[in-house]
Amino acid sequence: MHGQPPVSASNVDDVERLYQLELRLGADHARRRLAIEKEKEARVLSREGKHLHLENAYSLPSMIRLCLQMSGLYRRAQANSRELRVTENRFILPELPRGLEGLTLLQLSDLHVDMDEANLHAVMETVRPLEYDLCVITGDYRRDTWGDINPAMDGMQRLRNHLNGTVLAILGNHDSVLMVPELEAMGYQMLMNESYRLEKNGESLWIAGVDDPHLYQTDDLEAAIADIPAAATSLLLSHTPEIYQEAAMAGFDLYMCGHTHGGQLCLPGGLPLTLDARCPRHLGRGAWEYDAMQGYTTTGAGTSILNVRLNCPPEVTLHRLTRGPNGVG
């Protein structure tokens, strides 16, 4: 396999998933990504790798829970994590093809569907009545960054029943590449350093999606844009805002991401204690701009480490594309 070490699957399900994955991505790509996962997991489970990433510090959930309980904020913070809001964002693109005026995209991110049943139920109930042209999901389906993917896959299957039409999705740093065949069998269209052409009223919006740039660093922007015409209106889906500069240089008009959870536990005023991302803090939450590119970093619908939030509500986001402030131009 061009120098890639063999990767052993841990059980019968993973053997079948690996076979399906190689058919989908090619043996080199599939085995390389899975080899990185296995190496990262071994470091997480070893003493040396115990604190490789904040969410993998074994004692952290208990420490956070204890601090919140002692301050009298735990019940409130847990309730906050289940009170989703629908956020509306407008991207104003004067050069937007007229046929795409008013195009609406629903963005979900950082679902961590096996973290909290109450949160997953809230997500399903929130998205059910929404109207949109296309749904995009910007990664993180599993609670942990390692381990069994089956609980997360069960949750994603249930969620799919509440999402309309085409759903494009990418992987995050909590996700195994073994999820790809199963998610696609459910009706999610995965973008693994690939692009998708959305057509409406005879016009096109090109949507590219990259593999996780944060933990696995298996994103390939060059491959993702290979089929996109130079003059096309284009959107990049990335799990994290960390490759914003590369995306702007590649000519993307729009950028959607998550990963940061907006901080999840924030000081009054929404000031995050940490974003766990290599990017300027103003890119950590909400709408932003860089050069000619507009971006949006969602606070996400779920939670990481512990199902609590303070001063940072969970959200699902409806993005509307328009040529001008009043929908004209």
Side-chain angles (χ1 to χ4, degrees):
M1 299 298 176
H2 299 286
Q4 292 299 328
V7 178
S8 59
S10 59
N11 54 50
V12 174
D13 286 343
D14 282 357
V15 169
E16 176 61 23
R17 284 169 175 149
L18 178 57
Y19 173 71
Q20 294 297 328
L21 188 64
E22 291 185 357
L23 291 179
R24 169 67 173 82
L25 299 180
D28 285 350
H29 186 174
R31 288 177 178 265
R32 179 172 61 88
R33 173 61 148 82
L34 196 55
I36 297 172
E37 289 185 23
K38 295 297 183 182
E39 185 270 336
K40 297 286 188 184
E41 181 173 337
R43 291 176 63 188
V44 167
L45 296 178
S46 70
R47 291 183 179 180
E48 292 78 10
K50 183 175 178 181
H51 299 288
L52 178 64
H53 277 275
L54 188 63
E55 62 265 31
N56 294 322
Y58 300 155
S59 61
L60 196 56
S62 296
M63 291 173 57
I64 295 174
R65 183 184 294 109
L66 179 60
C67 290
L68 290 172
Q69 288 174 336
M70 291 180 66
S71 64
L73 291 173
Y74 179 70
R75 289 184 181 275
R76 173 186 166 190
Q78 189 173 63
N80 290 345
S81 73
R82 297 163 177 169
E83 295 179 359
L84 270 75
R85 64 179 184 179
V86 179
T87 303
E88 296 185 4
N89 176 59
R90 178 174 293 188
F91 286 121
I92 300 176
L93 299 168
E95 302 302 320
L96 182 73
R98 293 186 180 277
L100 299 181
E101 175 64 42
L103 181 75
T104 301
L105 305 179
L106 169 64
Q107 182 191 7
L108 308 179
S109 194
D110 302 278
L111 294 158
H112 302 285
V113 293
D114 53 340
M115 168 69 81
D116 179 36
E117 175 64 26
N119 175 267
L120 175 57
H121 180 74
V123 173
M124 293 188 293
E125 290 301 308
T126 300
V127 300
R128 191 201 313 269
L130 300 180
E131 296 183 1
Y132 47 90
D133 295 288
L134 179 78
C135 176
V136 299
I137 310 182
T138 45
D140 271 9
Y141 313 116
R142 181 169 57 178
R143 180 187 64 186
D144 299 317
T145 60
W146 53 275
D148 188 7
I149 71 172
N150 287 314
M153 294 300 91
D154 290 343
M156 291 302 291
Q157 176 66 77
R158 292 165 58 197
L159 175 63
R160 185 64 182 92
N161 296 331
H162 299 273
L163 297 173
N164 301 321
T166 300
V167 181
L168 305 182
I170 58 174
L171 296 183
N173 63 292
H174 280 246
D175 303 322
S176 170
V177 73
L178 290 173
M179 296 176 175
V180 171
E182 196 155 334
L183 287 168
E184 293 195 326
M186 297 175 194
Y188 296 97
Q189 184 163 339
M190 304 301 296
L191 295 179
M192 299 294 293
N193 300 321
E194 299 163 319
S195 62
Y196 172 87
R197 182 181 182 182
L198 172 63
E199 295 189 47
K200 182 179 180 181
N201 299 323
E203 304 286 2
S204 299
L205 172 68
W206 284 84
I207 304 173
V210 292
D211 201 353
D212 172 51
H214 178 73
L215 177 60
Y216 298 109
Q217 299 179 8
T218 43
D219 54 302
D220 187 341
L221 202 55
E222 184 176 350
I225 66 176
D227 296 328
I228 302 178
T233 303
S234 58
L235 159 67
L236 178 64
L237 304 179
S238 169
H239 177 58
T240 167
E242 290 167 277
I243 58 171
Y244 70 100
Q245 292 175 311
E246 296 92 325
M249 291 177 61
F252 282 97
D253 299 290
L254 305 172
Y255 187 117
M256 293 183 192
C257 59
H259 175 68
T260 68
H261 292 245
Q264 189 168 313
L265 293 175
C266 296
L267 299 175
L271 182 66
L273 299 176
T274 179
L275 293 173
D276 190 28
R278 300 176 295 272
C279 68
R281 293 180 73 85
H282 73 274
L283 270 61
R285 176 178 178 178
W288 47 266
E289 296 183 7
Y290 179 76
D291 287 346
M293 184 179 71
Q294 300 176 61
Y296 191 92
T297 306
T298 175
T299 62
T303 52
S304 184
I305 303 178
L306 198 66
N307 58 316
V308 291
R309 280 184 179 266
L310 283 176
N311 303 307
C312 186
E315 68 179 8
V316 303
T317 308
L318 289 172
H319 300 279
R320 184 171 184 267
L321 278 57
T322 180
R323 293 171 57 88
N326 299 314
V328 296

